[in-house]
């Protein structure tokens, strides 16, 4: 299946010389998450390109708008609130944090887990998208666009995500009930931070944390935009200081080149990878990155963190090249129980034979890399490569004796 | 990503000469939906093969069992009910139909819709899997396997699906609230029928209907099995007569050959296509079938029904070949409004110019096929082809002026 062509000649310039904190420091790449609404008929794809190398993945986007007071069948069926709601029983959502945060209870469904019965990283990213949108949905600010407020609509602005950092300590299992909290905060003068926290509903144990950075883009000019005062007035009352992950000195992700150890050159977007904004959904980007990692590594390791920097989106006929490079750092002692086991083992303490034999515990002393650097790029005509996204993944070894208790 | 190899030499024979009604008539192919539980460590993949040509897709499967009374962390986290529950507030499920049917309220999530903002057929099939499992979950009969009852566990039996028929009149849109009803009925002496109905929660309008046929298989011998009396005693109190789709004379799906018009020969299962039973999930089969259909057709048509016959599962290193053949039936008048529009047009009545120009309405008078026959097969060594599944899809033309109101 095909995805649309995005004109690579579009360029993005900061239209008002805004203070791009995180984003500019990293040569902003961005992913359209909250595309503003457009009128019927169905919107055309939004090309979202960055200053240097183009852009970006979308979280999904776009809904039609009735500007003439006519209430469409769709509006009736969607029933987007026009005022702030404190509880949504169908979404199992509730406003928390003194009226500004959002919590949603989620049951892990059978198709959201992988072969090991634990929630996939793709499902976790989908939960983040869903709760972010439901947060805006509950706020009464949603203007029928994908997370766009009324003020953003009036200014023809959409949200674009430039960075995402996810840490997973434990993966929820099939049937488990989790609570996902999400909230927003300031990020420089013109950006927004959105954070998430996933907890076990039964025990309150934190399973995962994430933080992301967002900026605004003019939907027509494709230029980054300052945040208009009316939009700041809408969203800043929702800002809180709390951070799910403190990143005083965010790691810079190096750009891989063609010498990378693992290269997968034949990925093409399928129809099912496209979302409401006709863009390849950002979750697909993660899939492409992880597909390069050898099966033997994936079977014995769990992803414990991923950092994504979005740069450009791929076109309908683009061939996506996914590169990854393991770190060569030798033995990395791991946290928690497993780390203790290592130490015990080194000290000659007894360990159950099944752990030693089957778990690959011994293998964790080999020079198995536990971190990977990733690059997605378009394998363009004339061998021109255009960067889509960079990534950095961190892994920990599984206990094979505890297949369903991955931490 | 890889899926496991399934030994093609396995054969299935009806171990007790059971009365295989629907399944045998169709040279049963089946999909493992409700794999029985196994003990830790993680179960190996179940090969599920049919009498003639092997089998099958799985809906997902397998959970560990504690037979020693020890309650594992996983059991605490999953919290599967040991007695019948009438309401599950987290799953938004309720027992209906005089205590035997199940209804679940579902909000369509942002990642469950396609670029046109309507729920994808894959999401609908996922909803069917989820509600079927939650129905068994609520019944108190679930023995930690994927839909397997305690009696099935004792007899080492799993459910395998042989046939699925889905009709979609309208696709739910992003944010819409739907109700999914599911119930079971008898299918011959040894089979079970499971039906579903999807309704708009707001209006009660029926959006989709589905029916499926299930039989039992011995998990070790891979042979079809009669339904033991103790299992019949467990599940037959849940049987009702009501049928979502009446199929007095189910259509036989012809087997395509290499002369098929559309052939996609390079599909390989990825890690993310595998489910808890290490099988390629049956939803993926639908994706492979639809990928052969030209984009131009998919953009202008909506899938209104699909019939699937499951025959065999694919192996980890198998290359899957997907074939499809359009019917050559010329003009097929379509139901409802669109059909009326055709007639109006033929009679020279006025229609809004935007409908005529943009919608491709005129195109529906061309000899565009509205039905396809599908075949999935393994492109094996020595060019040996092994049938995985057959399918039959029916389509109706979209109104481009009503992109979000597909019916």
């Amino acid at each position: 299946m095909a995805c649309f062509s995005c004109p690579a000649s579009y360029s993005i310039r900061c239209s008002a010389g805004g203070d791009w904190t995180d984003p500019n420091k990293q040569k902003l790449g961005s992913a359209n998450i909250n595309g503003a609404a457009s009128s019927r008929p169905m919107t055309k794809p939004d090309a979202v390109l960055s200053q240097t190398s183009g852009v970006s993945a979308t979280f999904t986007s776009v809904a039609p708008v009735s500007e003439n007071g006519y209430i469409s069948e769709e509006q009736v069926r969607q029933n987007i609130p026009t005022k702030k709601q404190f509880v949504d029983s169908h979404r199992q959502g509730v406003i928390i944090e003194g009226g500004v945060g959002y919590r949603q209870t989620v049951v892990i469904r059978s198709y959201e887990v992988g072969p090991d019965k634990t929630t996939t990283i793709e499902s976790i990213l989908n939960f983040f998208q869903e709760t972010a949108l439901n947060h805006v949905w509950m706020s009464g600010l949603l203007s029928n666009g994908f997370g766009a407020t009324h003020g953003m609509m009036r200014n023809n602005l959409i949200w674009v995500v430039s960075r995402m950092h996810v840490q997973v300590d434990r993966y929820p299992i099939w049937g488990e009930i989790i609570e996902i909290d999400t909230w927003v905060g300031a990020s420089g003068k013109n950006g927004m931070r959105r954070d998430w926290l996933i907890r076990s509903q039964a025990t309150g144990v934190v399973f995962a944390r994430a933080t992301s950075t967002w900026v605004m883009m003019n939907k027509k000019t494709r230029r980054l935009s300052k945040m208009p005062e009316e939009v700041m007035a809408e969203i800043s009352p929702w800002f809180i200081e709390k951070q799910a992950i403190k990143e005083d000195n965010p790691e810079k992700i190096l750009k891989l080149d063609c010498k990378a150890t693992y290269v997968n050159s034949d990925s093409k977007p399928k129809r099912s990878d496209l979302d409401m904004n006709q863009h390849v959904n950002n979750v697909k980007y993660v899939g492409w990155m992880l597909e390069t990692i050898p099966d033997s590594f994936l079977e014995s390791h769990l992803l414990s963190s991923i950092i994504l920097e979005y740069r450009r989106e791929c076109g309908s006929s683009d061939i996506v090249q996914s590169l990854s490079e393991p770190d060569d750092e030798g033995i990395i002692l791991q946290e928690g129980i497993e780390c203790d086991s290592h130490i015990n083992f080194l000290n000659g303490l007894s360990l159950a034979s099944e752990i030693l034999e089957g778990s690959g515990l011994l293998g964790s002393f080999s020079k198995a890399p536990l971190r990977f650097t990733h690059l997605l790029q378009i394998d363009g005509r004339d061998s021109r490569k255009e960067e889509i996204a960079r990534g950095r993944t961190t892994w920990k070894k599984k206990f094979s004796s505890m297949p369903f208790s991955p931490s």
Side-chain angles (χ1 to χ4, degrees), chain A:
Chain A
M1 306 182 184
C3 118
F4 70 97
S5 277
C6 93
S9 58
Y10 283 10
S11 70
I12 290 166
R13 285 187 297 277
C14 189
S15 54
D19 172 16
W20 299 109
T21 52
D22 285 287
N24 263 3
K25 283 180 194 160
Q26 302 171 41
K27 290 193 175 176
L28 171 66
S30 50
N32 170 15
I33 182 176
N34 295 324
S38 69
S39 56
R40 293 170 183 268
M42 252 179 71
T43 52
K44 297 296 174 200
D46 302 316
V48 187
L49 305 169
S50 82
Q51 268 179 300
T52 52
S53 52
V55 181
S56 78
T58 165
F59 255 124
T60 297
S61 155
V62 173
V65 144
S66 84
E67 281 157 350
N68 54 9
Y70 166 73
I71 298 174
S72 68
E73 182 199 330
E74 184 191 336
Q75 286 171 308
V76 173
R77 289 169 65 180
Q78 278 194 300
N79 196 24
I80 297 174
T82 52
K83 291 180 184 169
K84 183 174 175 179
Q85 310 290 310
F86 287 86
V87 177
D88 186 320
S89 62
H90 291 115
R91 284 169 186 77
Q92 309 213 50
V94 60
I95 293 296
I96 56 168
E97 301 276 5
V100 296
Y102 176 71
R103 173 172 297 164
Q104 184 167 332
T105 305
V106 170
V107 179
I108 304 300
R109 296 178 182 170
S110 53
Y111 54 89
E112 291 165 343
V113 300
D116 67 351
K117 203 175 173 177
T118 65
T119 310
T120 61
I121 186 70
E122 289 89 347
S123 294
I124 288 173
L125 290 169
N126 282 333
F127 294 157
F128 290 158
Q129 170 179 306
E130 181 65 11
T131 50
L133 290 164
N134 287 346
H135 187 196
V136 186
W137 184 287
M138 297 274 284
S139 73
L141 293 173
L142 185 63
S143 183
N144 207 7
F146 233 60
T149 64
H150 301 288
M152 288 172 69
M153 286 287 289
R154 282 189 288 271
N155 288 275
N156 214 26
L157 295 173
I158 58 175
W159 286 115
V160 289
V161 62
S162 59
R163 190 169 182 278
M164 172 84 76
H165 183 178
V166 185
Q167 292 176 345
V168 185
D169 294 331
R170 293 171 78 90
Y171 284 85
I173 59 174
W174 171 53
E176 188 159 18
I177 301 170
I178 58 171
E179 287 176 349
I180 307 175
D181 289 3
T182 185
W183 64 93
V184 289
S187 175
K189 281 184 190 163
N190 294 291
M192 185 178 82
R193 186 174 39 76
R194 177 173 284 283
D195 287 11
W196 294 268
L197 207 57
I198 297 184
R199 278 196 201 85
S200 156
Q201 200 226 26
T203 66
V205 169
V206 173
F207 284 177
R209 305 165 185 276
T211 188
S212 58
T213 312
W214 300 84
V215 288
M216 288 191 183
M217 176 175 285
N218 185 294
K219 193 166 156 265
K220 288 187 179 166
T221 66
R222 317 316 299 177
R223 293 182 182 192
L224 294 180
S225 167
K226 285 184 79 164
M227 192 182 290
E229 282 185 17
E230 68 168 318
V231 176
M232 184 56 87
E234 284 176 316
I235 65 171
S236 61
W238 294 81
F239 286 178
I240 50 177
E241 286 291 318
K242 193 172 75 160
Q243 291 183 43
I245 301 173
K246 294 221 170 164
E247 294 188 298
D248 295 331
N249 211 350
E251 184 181 9
K252 194 174 162 65
I253 305 177
L254 296 177
K255 185 178 175 185
L256 297 181
D257 59 26
C258 60
K259 294 174 203 146
T261 305
Y262 303 112
V263 180
N264 188 350
S265 293
D266 61 352
S267 295
K268 274 196 284 189
K270 292 181 181 177
R271 183 181 305 273
S272 54
D273 300 327
L274 302 186
D275 63 20
M276 281 189 255
N277 210 19
Q278 318 278 319
H279 296 220
V280 173
N281 191 281
N282 78 313
V283 176
K284 184 66 194 177
Y285 285 19
V286 175
W288 279 331
M289 286 184 184
L290 302 188
E291 276 171 26
T292 58
I293 297 182
D295 280 352
S296 57
F297 186 88
L298 291 175
E299 278 156 19
S300 56
H301 290 79
L302 283 166
L303 180 69
S304 59
S305 94
I306 184 165
I307 300 173
L308 296 156
E309 288 177 10
Y310 298 101
R311 307 247 161 187
R312 192 197 196 292
E313 78 189 339
C314 66
S316 61
S317 55
D318 290 330
I319 308 292
V320 177
Q321 194 176 53
S322 178
L323 299 88
S324 67
E325 182 67 42
D327 278 11
D328 191 12
E329 294 178 4
I331 296 170
I332 299 173
L333 284 183
Q334 295 171 251
E335 326 83 353
I337 295 166
E338 196 175 357
C339 178
D340 294 339
S341 302
H342 289 190
I343 292 163
N344 287 344
F345 179 69
L346 286 170
N347 291 337
L349 297 179
S350 168
L351 282 176
S353 60
E354 64 271 23
I355 297 179
L356 283 176
E357 288 167 12
S359 70
L361 182 63
L362 290 167
S364 65
F365 288 97
S366 70
K367 292 198 102 191
L370 292 170
R371 302 219 296 174
F372 284 81
T373 303
H374 303 269
L375 176 69
L376 295 182
Q377 60 187 9
I378 294 169
D379 201 352
R381 287 173 200 164
D382 310 323
S383 299
R384 196 175 148 216
K385 310 284 192 220
E386 292 180 299
E387 198 175 350
I388 301 174
R390 296 184 191 185
R392 188 94 171 117
T393 54
T394 309
W395 303 78
K396 56 185 176 182
K397 203 124 174 66
K398 278 183 193 175
F399 272 115
S400 72
S401 56
M402 295 175 66
F404 303 126
S405 305
S407 78

